[in-house]
Every structure is written in structure tokens, then in C-alpha cells.
Amino acid sequence: MSTVVIQKNPTEREHRSDRLSFAQWPAGTTALAFEIWLALAVSYYIAFILELNSAASVGTGLLILVGPTQGMVLSKAIYRIAGTLFGAVFAIILTSLFSQDRTMLIAVFSVYMACLVAIATLLRDFRAYGCILAGYTVALISIADVGAPTAAFTGMLDRVAAILLAVLVLAFVSSIFATAESARSLQSKLRLSARDVVGMALATLDQRVPPDPSQCVAMSARLMPLRSEIGFATPELLDGWARAKGARSALLGLFEAISAIQALGLGLRNLSAASSTVDNAISIVRAAIIAQHPEKRLADIDALTHQAMEAESLSIDEAYVLDRCTFMIEVFSDIRDGLLSSRVGQLPRRSVSLPVHQDYIAAVLNGLRVGLAAGIVGLLAVLSGLPGASLMILGTIVFVSLGSVLHDPLAMGRAALLMTPAVIVTGTIYDFLIFPNISDYPLFIISLAPVVVVTCWLIKTGKGPMGIFYGVQSISLLSPANVQTLDPTAFLDTTAFLVAGSICIFFSLLLIAPVDPGLRRLRLALAIGRTLRRALVDENRLDQPRASLHYDRLSQFSSWQNGGPVTPARRNVMRRLSDLGNLSFAVRRSWRALDQARTAVDAAIDAKARQILPTLSPVEILDLSRTYLAAAAGLDRSKRLDLVHAAAALYGTAVLTTSEMRLLRHLKLLR
């Protein structure tokens, strides 16, 4: 099937799968629910024995830790401890400074929360969650007890004790039922992705054209989530840190392989005539990328290059293809090494990072949204003086903060509206029908099993915001205690504030600094242009091109197109953005190649190359590439390859510049 057919009507398919997921019982749901329920049983039992005043927060804290896999649970627990301790200390400081001024307390807290959410937007995974937790822990301690500042210290101790209890118990239970699910899933996905990238490379070698940019973007969107899964898998195994280094090396290699495939396909398409040298090189690459040790074939490519140079039959386009063949073999060698390291737990040959795109404007907007929501809702709720107002404050702060760092913030707002009736029904059933008829702990904890099961089922079916909201708010509304009392008036007040809080959550995410996909796409495109500008002027930077950063931008750009069909216009936009990113890679390669070839080439030629490269003049850069190739013919083998590499890098820059001259002229990068 063609790419167009495969991607036809993605929105319709997403809606259909969304409906079907409610009728599914995903694999592992029962095990996850039992694990969380057992941790809940142990946590509540210890909390009741210790007579903690905030025993109810044990349940809410534990359900916030729920993740689809054990690695996610452990990762979230680590950052939850750090966030809780930091927030508790700041809460005491804030309360001591503004114990007599509630307005200033709320104002300062709103600014503090806005800053933390802005930082969390720039972070990813559960580091962002820990950052947010450091914010709303202050709300749970200082804002909830704003009318009684003397209780803040006691509240802090209870809060910290409850959170640490939930985290430690869940970590202990998770270790008992350890299955290394995240590690196995990561290994499987890396192997499958490597196989598919090999298939993409073989198709490019057979067809001798670069892959469609939309195919490369789709592959990058599939690979990018593995960056987070590496963090989830790390705490599951004792040697997880070494496996994580190997997985990062393999993942970066897969991103680099996509660029290598595109570059090689471009060179093959631009060949001026049939070439036996290129045919032999393709045969070598085909054998190398499917072998266990691709690096053993590097010498064959070098020998082929020397042979063609000595026969004086190597053209500039052939030199480019041979150079890209060498790079592709090196990339697949890094992939194989990384996969082996992540599988057996040994350190890989290289230690790399995986930088991703940071949208600072989105961070500021998210912080502004949370700060305004916290300030407005907090001020209204606290000044009202009504009982149960803290539930509206805390619910708004917690879920607006968590929703703001999601790709689609409004998903949390929709979850709040949709799940609030379910939470109220659950609270009514438990408070009026179940809890009054229960007098001992075993029946009490068994009765909570349905809440845990529903929460885990929603999370496993991909409805994470709905699952977290339902579980946390249900336990918060029930507020289990040693002595469970029924106060219908208090229940109605709490329910009313729960509804009001859900409405505040939805409208805060909908109206305050709403997300504009068009502006997000524009900022991503401008970021790609800025990277190219920096590559043109930063000739002394020897760092490798950050492939993960480029493909993260492309995958984000694709995701902000709202799942629409792949039209010719969208495909053209993706092609241009992909070309700009590949051009920045080519420019970086050219600077490094000029540095390596400086000692082997005439100083006048080197100075001319460094003067012309920032201008992106395709004709002059192409002439320079031929000059470097001609200079390589008169050198011995020890220096020849450096000049061939410089010639190939300049040729690649010239070809990509020629294909996007109109856009480069519009961006005022062409001089």
C-alpha cells in the first residue's frame, strides 16, 4: 500500500479506535490494578495505624503515581519524592512570610506556580511532573490551611509522611511484582525500529531515490517517544543505567540513519551516469547494514575510493555517494553497538545525549495560564470562606498544571468535565451505601478495588487524563479515614465545589492563553531556520549535528497539523523543512571537513572555502568541491580521504542549496 493510502483519513481512524478502546481490556490491566490495589491496602493500613491526619492523601498520592508500566511508576515515584520535599520546605517559608496576608500569599504562590509550570514545560517525562508537584504541594499545605497558618507546619509533616509512605509502599510492591515490562518493551521497539530503518535503507538503495519526507517524519514520530521510554526502563534493572546509555546511542543512530538514507538517496538520484564504482559501493552497503558488524566493511569502501582515484575516474557525484556510504555504515555500526549494549547491559562505544526542541514561548504561556488560574480561583475560593473551597482550589491548580504540559492541554479539561459525573456517582454510592455498612478494614479496602480497576483500565486504554482525574478526585471526595462519618451537608458542599472546580479547569485550559497550532508550527519552522543560520556562522563548532533535535521538531510540526490528511501542500512543507534541516547538517559537515583537510590543501583554497561557504552560493560551492577533489588526486593515501570528504561535504551543501534556493532567498540566507 502506498503512503497516501496508509495515511488516508487518520482522524476518522483515531475516532474509531477511541470508541473501540472503551470495549477493550488491554493486556496487563488486571496485574496493574492488583498491584496498585495492594499498595493502596498496605498504605492505608499503615496510615491508619500511625493515625496520620492526612491519611486520605495517601490514596490520592498513590493513584497519581499510576502508570501503564512498572518503570513509569518507579520513575514518577522518584521525582514525586523530590518534588514533595522541595514544595514542603517552600510552603513553610511562604506561610511564615505571609501568615497574616492571604492576598499576598495567593499572589506570590500564583507567580511561584507559574514559574514551575514554565520550567516543567521545558522538561519532559516525570521530571516535569516532579516540578509541578513542588508547586501544588505548597497549595496543599499553605493554601488549604490559609485560614489557620499555625497548622501549616503540622500539615507539612502529615503531607510529607503520607506521600513518602505511598511512594515507598508502591516501590516495594512494584519490586515484588517486577516484570521489567518497560525494559522489554523498549528492547522490542528498538529492534523493530532498527529493522524498519534497514528496510528504508534497502529500498533507497534499490530505487536510488531518497525516501518521501512524510515517511521520514512518520518514522521520527515513532522513534521520539522511545526517548521517554528509556527513562522509564532505567530503574527497572540493576544495570539499567548502562542499558540506557546503549539505548540512547542506538536511538540517536536511528535518527542519524534517517538523515544518512536521505543524503545517500539524494546522491544516487543526482548521478550523471551509470557507475560501476557506485554499483559496487551499493553492494557493500547492502551487505554491511544487515551484518552484525557493519564496520568491517568500511575498509572496502575506502579501497573502492582509492581505486577510483588512482584510475582518475572518480567524479564529484560519485565521491559524494561513496562518502555517504561510509557514513551510513558508521551509523549502522553505532546502532548495532547500542542495541547490543542495551540488551546485555555493557557500556556502548559512545555516550550521547538526545536534545529535543524547547518552545520557550509555549513555556511562558503555560506558566501564565496556570498563574492566572491559580490566582483567580484561589482568591475567589478563599475569600468566600465556604467549607470545601480548598477542593476547588487544589483541583484547579493540580489539573490545570498537569494539563498545561500535555501536548493537548484541553484533553485534561475535557477529562474534568466528562469524569466529574462519574466521580460524583462514585462518591454518592460509597458515602451513602457502602461505607455506612462497613465496620472493618478488610471490607473497606476491598470496596475500593472498583475505583482502582476503573482508574487502571482508563490509563491502559490510553485515557490517561481521564483515569488520573477519576481516581484522584474519587479518593479525594471519599476522604477515607479511621472513623468514617457521613455528613450530607458537607458532602453536598464538597460536590458543589468539585463541579465548580471542574468547570474552572475546563475554561482555564480553554480560554486562558489557548494553544494555537498554527503559531506552534510557525515557531517550529523558525527554529529550523535559526539552526541553519547558526550553522552558517559557527564554523568552529565541532559538535556533531543534533539529529534528535531536528527530527523532534519535524515530528512536533506534524503532530500540530491536527491529524489531517497528507495533502500535496503539506507534503511540500514537510519536504522543505526536512531539506533545511539536512542543509544545516551538510553545512556542519562542511565546516568539520574543512578543518580536517586544512593541512592537506593549499592555504588559499582553504581561505576561499571558508569565505564562500556562509554565502550558500551553489555554483561557487560546487566549484570548490571539484577543486578539493582534484587536489586529492595528487596526494598519498593517508591524506587523500580527508580531501574527498571535504569535497563530498561541499557538494552536498551545494545540491541542497540548489533545491531550496527560493526559500533560502526568502529567508535572506542566500548572499
Side-chain angles (χ1 to χ4, degrees), residues 40 94 198 295 328 349 386 471 646:
L40 192 70
L94 192 64
V198 168
E295 65 276 6
M328 182 174 287
R349 289 197 302 258
L386 297 175

Side-chain angles (χ1 to χ4, degrees), residues 338-670:
L339 290 176
L340 176 63
S341 173
S342 64
R343 186 172 69 250
V344 302
Q346 68 182 25
L347 289 175
R349 289 197 302 258
R350 62 176 185 172
S351 179
V352 299
S353 61
L354 296 171
V356 292
H357 174 71
Q358 301 290 6
D359 191 337
Y360 295 99
I361 295 179
V364 172
L365 292 177
N366 287 344
L368 179 64
R369 179 190 305 117
V370 173
L372 289 176
I376 295 172
V377 176
L379 190 61
L380 292 177
V382 171
L383 294 181
S384 68
L386 297 175
S390 61
L391 182 61
M392 184 177 73
I393 303 174
L394 299 179
T396 302
I397 292 172
V398 170
F399 291 106
V400 171
S401 300
L402 292 176
S404 293
V405 298
L406 295 178
H407 179 267
D408 178 15
L410 201 54
M412 184 62 77
R414 291 191 294 266
L417 288 184
L418 293 174
M419 299 310 297
T420 295
V423 171
I424 294 174
V425 170
T426 300
T428 302
I429 293 174
Y430 275 84
D431 277 353
F432 289 89
L433 299 178
I434 296 179
F435 284 168
N437 298 311
I438 291 177
S439 58
D440 54 0
Y441 185 78
L443 289 177
F444 159 75
I445 200 62
I446 291 174
S447 70
L448 292 180
V451 176
V452 176
V453 170
V454 172
T455 300
C456 294
W457 173 68
L458 287 170
I459 291 174
K460 276 286 190 178
T461 53
K463 309 297 184 299
M466 297 174 67
I468 294 297
F469 185 89
Y470 172 79
V472 172
Q473 293 291 65
S474 294
I475 296 297
S476 179
L477 181 60
L478 297 178
S479 297
N482 263 328
V483 179
Q484 197 75 26
T485 59
L486 175 61
D487 186 347
T489 303
F491 180 83
L492 291 176
D493 290 340
T494 304
T495 302
F497 278 106
L498 174 63
V499 174
S502 300
I503 295 174
C504 290
I505 293 169
F506 178 78
F507 282 104
S508 296
L509 295 171
L510 176 67
L511 300 178
I512 302 178
V515 175
D516 188 334
L519 291 178
R520 286 289 183 97
R521 294 196 301 269
L522 177 61
R523 291 199 294 269
L524 287 164
L526 292 176
I528 294 175
R530 286 195 300 271
T531 299
L532 177 56
R533 289 180 185 276
R534 287 194 292 267
L536 289 172
V537 300
D538 199 5
E539 60 178 271
N540 295 320
R541 186 178 179 87
L542 299 180
D543 293 343
Q544 290 288 336
R546 296 180 289 181
S548 63
L549 174 61
H550 172 59
Y551 286 107
D552 180 51
R553 286 170 176 163
L554 289 183
S555 59
Q556 284 193 42
F557 189 96
S558 178
S559 68
W560 286 112
Q561 297 191 98
N562 300 325
V566 183
T567 61
R570 288 189 171 186
R571 185 179 290 108
N572 185 51
V573 171
M574 295 306 302
R575 178 185 62 79
R576 290 191 163 192
L577 293 178
S578 179
D579 285 347
L580 283 184
N582 288 329
L583 179 57
S584 67
F585 292 162
V587 171
R588 293 282 187 199
R589 286 197 301 268
S590 297
W591 285 124
R592 291 197 310 276
L594 292 179
D595 290 339
Q596 293 170 357
R598 173 177 283 177
T599 59
V601 74
D602 186 81
I605 297 176
D606 178 72
K608 183 179 180 181
R610 296 177 184 277
Q611 181 182 3
I612 291 176
L613 181 58
T615 68
L616 284 182
S617 174
V619 175
E620 293 181 287
I621 294 177
L622 187 59
D623 290 340
L624 274 173
S625 68
R626 293 193 175 98
T627 301
Y628 270 85
L629 185 61
L635 298 177
D636 55 34
R637 290 196 171 195
S638 61
K639 298 181 179 180
R640 182 183 295 163
L641 290 179
D642 287 340
L643 266 67
V644 173
H645 177 57
L650 291 170
Y651 174 83
T653 301
V655 170
L656 286 168
T657 301
T658 303
S659 64
E660 294 296 341
M661 287 188 64
R662 182 179 177 183
L663 178 59
L664 293 171
R665 189 176 292 111
H666 178 72
L667 295 174
K668 298 181 180 180
L669 292 173
L670 210 59

Side-chain angles (χ1 to χ4, degrees), residues 199-408:
M200 183 190 297
L202 295 177
T204 299
L205 295 175
D206 291 338
Q207 301 168 11
R208 302 202 175 190
V209 292
D212 187 270
S214 60
Q215 181 184 4
C216 297
V217 173
M219 179 59 71
S220 66
R222 172 182 166 187
L223 292 173
M224 192 53 65
L226 300 184
R227 178 180 179 272
S228 299
E229 294 195 25
I230 293 173
F232 302 153
T234 300
E236 288 188 344
L237 300 171
L238 294 177
D239 56 353
W241 62 276
R243 294 175 185 265
K245 286 180 177 290
R248 279 192 290 268
S249 178
L251 185 56
L252 179 60
L254 291 173
F255 286 123
E256 292 172 338
I258 297 175
S259 291
I261 293 168
Q262 288 179 302
L264 182 55
L266 182 65
L268 292 173
R269 186 181 63 187
N270 290 338
L271 281 174
S272 56
S275 170
S276 59
T277 300
V278 170
D279 293 339
N280 292 334
I282 289 176
S283 299
I284 294 172
V285 173
R286 287 183 62 89
I289 63 178
I290 61 176
Q292 291 296 324
H293 300 283
E295 65 276 6
K296 293 182 178 180
R297 306 306 300 269
L298 286 172
D300 297 336
I301 296 291
D302 291 345
L304 197 60
T305 304
H306 289 304
Q307 181 182 352
M309 289 290 294
E310 291 167 358
E312 298 183 355
S313 61
L314 186 65
S315 63
I316 185 61
D317 48 359
E318 290 174 328
Y320 177 76
V321 170
L322 291 176
D323 182 75
R324 293 300 87 198
C325 286
T326 300
F327 180 64
M328 182 174 287
I329 293 175
E330 292 173 347
V331 165
F332 276 95
S333 176
D334 289 331
I335 293 173
R336 297 289 183 185
D337 175 69
L339 290 176
L340 176 63
S341 173
S342 64
R343 186 172 69 250
V344 302
Q346 68 182 25
L347 289 175
R349 289 197 302 258
R350 62 176 185 172
S351 179
V352 299
S353 61
L354 296 171
V356 292
H357 174 71
Q358 301 290 6
D359 191 337
Y360 295 99
I361 295 179
V364 172
L365 292 177
N366 287 344
L368 179 64
R369 179 190 305 117
V370 173
L372 289 176
I376 295 172
V377 176
L379 190 61
L380 292 177
V382 171
L383 294 181
S384 68
L386 297 175
S390 61
L391 182 61
M392 184 177 73
I393 303 174
L394 299 179
T396 302
I397 292 172
V398 170
F399 291 106
V400 171
S401 300
L402 292 176
S404 293
V405 298
L406 295 178
H407 179 267
D408 178 15

Side-chain angles (χ1 to χ4, degrees), residues 123-206:
L123 301 174
R124 298 201 181 186
D125 311 328
F126 294 130
R127 292 176 298 171
Y129 172 78
C131 193
I132 292 174
L133 179 62
Y136 70 73
T137 295
V138 177
L140 291 170
I141 297 173
S142 297
I143 304 299
D145 296 326
V146 68
T150 56
F153 184 75
T154 305
M156 182 270 290
L157 294 178
D158 285 342
R159 169 70 177 168
V160 172
I163 293 303
L164 293 180
L165 175 62
V167 170
L168 294 176
V169 169
L170 185 56
F172 175 74
V173 173
S174 296
S175 64
I176 295 176
F177 296 96
T179 60
E181 180 182 351
S182 295
R184 289 201 307 272
S185 175
L186 176 64
Q187 286 292 321
S188 175
K189 291 177 180 178
L190 282 174
R191 287 196 301 269
L192 291 175
S193 299
R195 185 191 66 185
D196 292 342
V197 171
V198 168
M200 183 190 297
L202 295 177
T204 299
L205 295 175
D206 291 338

